[in-house]
Amino acid sequence: MEPFRISLMLRSVYDTLPSPSNLHQWGLIEEPSCKLCGERGTMAHILSGCKVALTQGRHRWRHDKVLKHLAEILDIERRKKRPSTTEAKQIRFVREGDTGHATKSQQHFILDKGSEWNMRADIGKKLVFPECVHTTLRPDIVVWSQSSKMIVAIELTVPWEERCEEAYKRKKEKYTELMTTCRERGWKAWLFPVEVGCRGFPAQSLWRMLQAMGIVGKPRKTAVRQLGEAAERSSCWLWHSRDDLSWKPSADE
Ligand SMILES: [Zn+2]
């Protein structure tokens, strides 16, 4: 990581960054207010609480940066060739101590249960939910198999680290009915709300989802690290442009 990012991350954790709120406390400025909205400009406010930043699409922009990365990782996984159900059964009769596919199929990863997986990601708010259910809800990622009648919905949040659990519960609630409807129509359905903290610390929910999808071991570690970095890098950008009133989502592209 570049030194300035390590420094920003550490200083954000210990709240020693020159936020308006800190500068005020240190006696360096008169007003502790956020340049965008006038509320108290703490680090948490600037990176995840500011309503004006939200309206300008800053948080969405960061969210989509992480989402794009997550979608790429899952897209590679869902395209992998999987043993057919019969092959998977045969593979279980292997020598003792032999690992590889046998271990994999015994662990019952979701993607190993079906075949011909499709995927859609809600980048640019364009997702249309698969035809199995009519809904206006748009989870961030949907992976589904028409032939196996299986569907996985993944909802990403990039909150202030301390609010990961709250985000998880909220998102779980939001999509529960949709998942129930899928099941009533004969589909096997899984829902995974996942959080990547905006200072670069992914929640346990992300590890669990990757594991359930069959991304384990070193690839999982790498994925988690990269997603944390994507969130943190975008937060850095938002931090550095905190006083830029004319900020546009395309600013760094
Ligand atoms: Zn503000």
Side-chain angles (χ1 to χ4, degrees), residues 11-30:
R11 291 171 72 195
S12 74
V13 170
Y14 293 105
D15 195 22
T16 60
L17 282 166
S19 61
S21 153
N22 280 344
L23 288 172
H24 176 73
Q25 219 167 15
W26 301 333
L28 297 173
I29 53 169
E30 294 281 312

Side-chain angles (χ1 to χ4, degrees), residues 82-177:
R82 298 171 193 284
S84 68
T85 325
T86 34
E87 272 171 42
K89 271 181 193 152
Q90 285 162 3
I91 288 167
R92 287 199 189 136
F93 298 104
V94 290
R95 283 195 308 277
E96 213 180 329
D98 200 351
T99 51
H101 281 102
T103 321
K104 238 199 153 191
S105 64
Q106 278 162 9
Q107 285 178 337
H108 301 300
F109 298 127
I110 294 170
L111 294 182
D112 285 346
K113 295 174 201 269
S115 53
E116 300 167 79
W117 290 98
N118 300 295
M119 194 187 107
R120 283 179 194 157
D122 191 29
I123 292 161
K125 299 190 174 183
K126 285 197 193 108
L127 186 131
V128 178
F129 200 79
E131 295 65 35
C132 58
V133 175
H134 181 74
T135 178
T136 50
L137 285 175
R138 299 187 325 259
D140 285 313
I141 294 176
V142 183
V143 184
W144 80 102
S145 161
Q146 189 71 37
S147 55
S148 316
K149 290 197 101 178
M150 291 178 187
I151 188 159
V152 184
I154 297 162
E155 176 71 8
L156 169 74
T157 316
V158 186
W160 187 247
E161 265 75 359
E162 283 76 2
R163 291 199 282 267
C164 281
E165 218 178 299
E166 180 195 317
Y168 179 88
K169 283 183 191 151
R170 190 179 65 234
K171 296 300 178 73
K172 186 125 198 162
E173 230 175 79
K174 184 174 175 187
Y175 293 101
T176 295
E177 203 185 312

Side-chain angles (χ1 to χ4, degrees), residues 33-41 45-46 49-53:
S33 40
C34 165
K35 284 264 184 1
L36 302 183
C37 73
E39 275 189 41
R40 194 174 173 81
H45 174 85
I46 287 163
C50 181
K51 295 278 186 305
V52 173

